[in-house]
Amino acid sequence: MTQDYGQLLDQLRSGEIDEITVAPEDFMAFRAVWTNYPARKEIVGTAKRHGEIIYHYQSNETR
């Protein structure tokens, strides 16, 4: 199943969801969308074991 990462990033930014979990096998598809996302610098990822990455939104105001 292919995720709509553009929609998920929008939901993350708006606060509808708290995080996006990206599995290693989905990373390149996520990255293709994330690199062109206007607010990508506010989307912060934390690497977990086995290559999983959890992304959350961190506005510039909270840094």
Side-chain angles (χ1 to χ4, degrees):
M1 182 174 109
T2 302
Q3 296 284 336
D4 182 348
Y5 288 115
Q7 181 181 2
L8 288 172
L9 289 169
D10 288 340
Q11 290 175 338
L12 188 62
R13 188 173 180 199
S14 71
E16 291 178 51
I17 60 175
D18 294 327
E19 63 185 34
I20 300 171
T21 301
V22 179
E25 60 270 13
D26 299 326
F27 177 74
M28 293 307 290
F30 172 81
R31 185 180 183 279
V33 175
W34 175 79
T35 56
N36 294 312
Y37 192 72
R40 81 171 183 271
K41 291 184 179 184
E42 285 84 28
I43 307 297
V44 179
T46 303
K48 300 294 181 184
R49 288 183 176 228
H50 308 291
E52 184 177 83
I53 304 172
I54 299 175
Y55 290 90
H56 66 277
Y57 180 74
Q58 180 177 339
S59 71
N60 285 330
E61 298 158 3
T62 59
R63 288 185 183 176

